[in-house]
Amino acid sequence: MIGGDAKVRAMIKRFYDLMDMVPEYYVIRKLHPADLSGSRDKLSMFLSGWLGGPPLYADKYGHPMLRARHLPFAIGIAERDAWIACMARAMDGVIEDEKLRAWLGEQLFKTADWMRNKPD
Ligand code: HEM
């Protein structure tokens, strides 16, 4: 429905480009490595499986264990909201169907909320 691997990759490229450029997202940009190409690859591969396509991330790295992999980074409400805002903006330019965008935003919010690991 989203448009396959090319769309997912385009969306994630936009996500990290925005994270790199927009001052409001610095709160999460600073948690990431200087070179975002690894992040871009891993999130695109993860979303491929998460969205019902080929499980590229699991094939290469094993079980995602997403919450555990995020424990080294302090994630609270501000970080969650910046991640979701950045992703909503990335989706805006790539996924045309408004209902699909809204649905995906809700699912991603649940996952992002589950990643919180510090008291606010
Ligand atoms: C809640 C706010 C979030 C913050 C602040 C955050 C931040 C980070 C950081 C700093 C990394 C490590 C750098 C990197 O490898 O790119 C990372 C890795 C990753 N994140 Fe997030 N993330 C968040 C939410 C999410 C969500 C909602 C997903 C999935 C839908 C996700 C998927 C991933 C994946 C797949 C990796 C790579 C894991 C690995 O193999 O090391 N993240 N994230």
Side-chain angles (χ1 to χ4, degrees):
M1 278 172 84
I2 286 173
D5 196 51
K7 277 272 181 186
V8 173
R9 289 206 168 258
M11 181 173 101
I12 298 311
K13 179 178 186 309
R14 228 173 107 76
F15 173 73
Y16 285 110
D17 287 352
L18 287 163
M19 193 193 286
D20 209 23
M21 276 176 344
V22 179
E24 283 86 343
Y25 309 143
Y26 182 68
V27 64
I28 51 173
R29 175 62 185 93
K30 68 181 182 197
L31 303 175
H32 289 77
D35 177 359
L36 288 170
S37 54
S39 311
R40 202 155 50 213
D41 244 29
K42 284 179 169 174
L43 186 54
S44 302
M45 291 171 88
F46 172 80
L47 287 179
S48 171
W50 191 78
L51 291 165
L56 305 176
Y57 181 96
D59 286 351
K60 188 161 179 190
Y61 301 107
H63 192 288
M65 298 184 300
L66 266 199
R67 197 166 190 287
R69 288 198 211 257
H70 285 77
L71 286 179
F73 314 105
I75 301 178
I77 287 175
E79 290 77 13
R80 175 200 70 190
D81 288 351
W83 196 99
I84 285 295
C86 186
M87 187 59 87
R89 224 162 135 179
M91 285 195 293
D92 245 359
V94 178
I95 301 177
E96 282 124 53
D97 185 331
E98 202 181 318
K99 277 199 185 136
L100 182 57
R101 245 178 14 236
W103 175 83
L104 194 52
E106 279 167 35
Q107 306 310 310
L108 286 167
F109 180 86
K110 287 183 205 163
T111 308
D113 193 48
W114 172 63
M115 230 67 86
R116 286 195 293 125
N117 55 26
K118 70 164 183 186
D120 277 286

